[in-house]
Each structure stands twice: as C-alpha cells, then as structure tokens.
Amino acid sequence: MPNPALPDPARQPRDFLKHLFDVAVARAQPSQVLGQHLPPPPRGRTWVVGAGKAAGAMAHALEAAWPADAPLAGLVVTRYGHTPPRPPGVPARLEIVEAAHPVPDEAGAQAAARMLASVAGLTADDLVICLISGGGSALLTLPADGLSLADKQRVNQQLLASGAGIHEMNTLRKHLSRVKGGRLAAACAPAPVVTLAISDVPGDDLSVIASGPTVPDDTTCAEALAIARRHGIALPAAVEAALASGALETPKPGDACFAGHAVHLIATPMQALRAAAEAARTAGLAAHVLSDEIEGESADIGLMHAALARAVAQGRGAFQRPCVLLSGGETTVTLGKLPPGTKPGRGGRAGEFCLGLAQGLQAAPGVWGLAADTDGIDGVEDNAGALVAPDTLARARAAGLSLAEHRARHDAYGFFDALGDLVVTGPTHTNVNDFRAVLVL
C-alpha cells in the first residue's frame, strides 16, 4: 500500500516528482554520509583542504564528526552563497571561503594559493583530509605558469559554451593548473592524504571530480592540447607551446607522491537515483533507473526520454505504466551564434532538457517530468530546474509562448518561468549532478 505521508502520484504528480528530487538530494547530504568514512586522528596534525559546491556542508559534517579533543584546522572553498547554516553546537574549526562558479575569480585564486602554501612542511606523522565535490574545478583555480587569471577565465567561458563534455573540460583544466590533476597531493607529501569525494561526474571518475587535485591523472598534455584545438579554445602562445612540449604534465598513476593515500566516494549519482527509486516504489509505482551516466546535448536527451515515455504510455515500451523513469549524468548545452538583434536566452541544462522533453512528448496524456540540478542551481540561474506537464504546450500557446523560439535562444528559464513551472530550491549544499524523473501514469 502507498505510504499516506507521500504525495499521491496520481493526484499530486508535481509534488510527487519534487518529493523524489528531495529524496535524491537528501541521500547525498554530507551530514548523513561523511562521518562513516573518517580515518582515526594521526600522531601529528590533521589539516583539511577542499573545494566544491558541497565543501561548506562537508566541512561542517567533518567538524561535527571529528573527535572534540583531536586537533583540526584547514581551509575549504565553496561557491558564493553555498555555505549552509552552522549546525547547532558544532564549533567552528575550519575556515570556509566563498568564490565564483562557473567562471573563477580572484577570491578562488587566492584561496587556492593559500591552500597550496598551507600544506608545505607537513610530515609523515600529519594527515591531510581533502573534501572534494563538483564545482571544485572553477573554485580551486591557480593558473599554470604563463597563464593569468584573466586567461583562465576566458578559457573557462569558452569551454562552457563549446559543448565539450566534462571529461574533456577537466582534462584541459588539469593541465592549465598548479593545483589540479594530482598536484595538490604532490604538495602535501610526505603527509598521507585521505580524499572524501562527492561525485558529480558520469562514471564517478575520481580524476575528473573537481579535476582530481589529490588523485593521479592519466590524461596527457597532448590530449589537453588536442581538446583545445578541437573546440577552438584560444590559449596564449607560451601555454600552447608548454602543452606541446609536455612541460605542463601532471603526476601519473604510480607516482610516489600518492603512496599511502586513500580515497572514499561518500555520495554518488547512482546512490541518489536509487534512493528516489525506492521512494517511488514505496508510493506503489514501478521505478526504473535508466542510467547515471547519460551525456549529450540536453534538449536531445529530453527528446530521447520523451520517446521512451510515449512508448510506455502507449503500451509499446520496455516498461509498463504506471512507472517512473529516472536518470542522471551530465548533459551539455552548446551555444551557437544568434542572429543579429536576437535576445540571448537564460537557463541551464536541466531547463534545456525540459524544453526537449516537452517538445517530444507533444502533450502526451498522463506523462509528467522534472529535471533539476542536485546542487539547486541550473547553470547560473536561481532555479534548480523545471517541470513538464501534459498541458505545458497548451498553456504556452495560451500565453503566447513559442517553444521552438525559446529553444532556439536556449531560453528555458524564460519559457518555464512564464508558465510558473520553474523548480526553485536554493543551494542544496551537495552535488551529485543531473536528476531527471519522468512519471507515466
């Protein structure tokens, strides 16, 4: 029997989909998962470093779980506005700095420089705990020699508009940094490093999460240079030459600087999706996790989900209704040039997915959808994502909105805001990437 405390999916489909999102986010909260992965205090000092959208919440969870009589100090950096309220009764032992994301700023660069300097002089009796989550690539910015912060900002902006996948973006970022791609771990030697990571990348590749500052990097300068050229990313001549010569190479697997290190994935996209699936089953619905590794153009992925949902609704699919289709991963939005005089749109990949979903569903009865970023921020807007309903297209026409025109301008925010269908949560203080749920009744 369905749990009466849960929203009824048939009567409250919007609330039900939002509930599934909330369950997924709750499963990835540092306060719930971090403590069980902590090592014992060392003989010497325990120094904490880290970066990401969840870094503030991870710092608070560590402060709460670490023995009160054991020394603890350090510095982490998170996005502006992403430091959660301090839990009652938990004393502040770690410094939390805020900086810009997705394009880095001076605050992030200064924090990275301080972090790198702070681990100098540690001994084998000391311990470094590194708190890593999505967003750390932009927040932990310390440009390589020959690259200014302005150069790094320009590269990031070009990458974000290029349609490059997260693995490509972070391959280039690692080789343009003095802290990413295992370089922070090298700076900590001979102190052992325990990395606690929340994954926001398809496949949970630890070297990609926040560009892997404390883990080995098996990508190369040659690959980074090829990615820059493939996507038309402009680099200073000196940096391009350094990549070509291999002068900016990162520490590789087997390097002695990683000896004695440990890494723990404390929250992943699949864990969050499975928690949502269990919540759906508790409500009496079948739940199917399609994948936590879906990549590609956001609107195209929306069209694909629409095709699956329509097949289920028509009794032709691999699944039977009523059911929920769940997926995660990291899609992309490639921004092309707009015709002169065209107003640029607003929105992120979750909203872009919903534009594709609405287009593909074509008002199919009994099908609802939600897509949202689990960090609570879709791109650079103030919403987490958006909702799609059977009457989305009808309400859009009544409001004088053209889905095709909004999609052409990548204006998911404007489209769903006008319909009252934005999902707004504020920062969630975690980040396990995209969350998508399609309900077929």
Side-chain angles (χ1 to χ4, degrees):
M1 293 292 292
N3 186 337
L6 297 175
D8 185 329
R11 296 181 180 180
Q12 303 164 288
R14 292 169 177 269
D15 292 340
F16 177 72
L17 289 172
K18 290 178 182 177
H19 174 75
L20 296 187
F21 175 70
D22 291 341
V23 168
V25 169
R27 173 60 181 82
Q29 285 298 324
S31 60
Q32 303 301 310
V33 297
L34 185 142
Q36 60 191 286
H37 297 283
L38 291 178
R43 286 196 295 265
R45 296 183 296 162
T46 300
W47 191 256
V48 180
V49 295
K53 297 175 186 175
M58 295 176 82
H60 287 173
L62 176 54
E63 289 170 329
W66 197 249
D69 59 350
L72 186 72
L75 164 71
V76 301
V77 57
T78 192
R79 183 177 178 169
Y80 291 122
H82 281 244
T83 303
R86 176 165 294 280
V90 177
R93 296 196 272 178
L94 303 175
E95 182 182 357
I96 302 172
V97 173
E98 296 188 343
H101 179 280
V103 177
D105 68 355
E106 183 62 33
Q110 290 183 6
R114 289 178 56 202
M115 203 175 294
L116 199 62
S118 74
V119 299
L122 294 176
T123 73
D125 289 333
D126 299 321
L127 171 69
V128 176
I129 299 178
C130 185
L131 307 177
I132 290 297
S133 58
S137 291
L139 294 164
L140 199 62
T141 293
L142 196 59
D145 291 339
L147 198 69
S148 68
L149 177 59
D151 292 330
K152 199 70 178 286
Q153 291 170 327
R154 188 163 50 251
V155 168
N156 259 37
Q157 288 168 331
Q158 292 178 62
L159 280 171
L160 292 168
S162 70
I166 188 62
H167 288 73
E168 290 183 307
M169 286 197 284
N170 284 3
T171 294
L172 183 56
R173 286 165 169 165
K174 283 184 279 192
H175 288 87
L176 301 182
S177 171
R178 282 185 280 158
V179 69
K180 300 182 179 71
R183 290 188 175 95
L184 180 58
C188 293
V193 178
V194 174
T195 300
L196 306 180
I198 294 178
S199 173
D200 73 323
V201 301
D204 303 330
D205 187 338
L206 289 160
S207 71
V208 179
I209 303 168
S211 297
T214 57
V215 298
D217 176 37
D218 61 5
T219 68
T220 66
C221 281
E223 290 172 314
L225 183 56
I227 288 165
R229 289 173 174 171
R230 181 161 60 248
H231 292 286
I233 308 299
L235 298 173
V239 173
E240 188 163 345
L243 287 175
S245 69
L248 297 180
E249 202 51 89
T250 49
K252 302 304 176 195
D255 193 298
C257 72
F258 300 110
H261 290 205
V263 182
H264 303 286
L265 276 170
I266 68 171
T268 68
M270 182 55 77
Q271 291 169 349
L273 291 170
R274 285 175 175 165
E278 185 58 33
R281 294 178 187 124
T282 300
L285 291 175
H288 308 285
V289 178
L290 303 179
S291 174
D292 66 338
E293 298 186 42
I294 295 177
E295 299 180 81
E297 282 294 317
S298 296
D300 293 341
I301 301 302
L303 290 169
M304 179 268 285
H305 280 66
L308 292 174
R310 288 172 59 197
V312 173
Q314 295 165 9
R316 301 183 292 104
F319 312 117
Q320 293 185 339
R321 64 175 184 174
C323 69
V324 175
L325 308 179
L326 298 163
S327 73
E330 182 159 354
T331 58
T332 54
V333 179
T334 303
L335 301 177
K337 290 186 177 180
L338 295 174
T342 303
K343 182 181 179 181
R346 299 170 60 193
R349 59 181 186 258
E352 187 92 352
F353 168 91
C354 287
L355 288 177
L357 182 68
Q359 178 183 338
L361 286 175
Q362 287 298 306
V367 182
W368 303 72
L370 178 149
D373 197 312
T374 53
D375 67 2
I377 304 296
D378 188 20
V380 296
E381 304 301 338
D382 59 3
N383 67 311
L387 280 157
V388 174
D391 64 349
T392 292
L393 296 182
R395 287 186 291 120
R397 284 192 295 269
L401 301 172
S402 166
L403 186 149
E405 185 267 336
H406 280 266
R407 182 178 168 186
R409 293 192 296 112
H410 303 290
D411 188 29
Y413 189 98
F415 184 83
F416 290 107
D417 185 35
L419 297 178
D421 286 340
L422 293 177
V423 175
V424 180
T425 64
T428 64
H429 312 300
T430 189
N431 184 14
V432 285
N433 224 327
D434 299 346
F435 174 88
R436 297 177 288 268
V438 181
L439 172 65
V440 186
L441 298 176

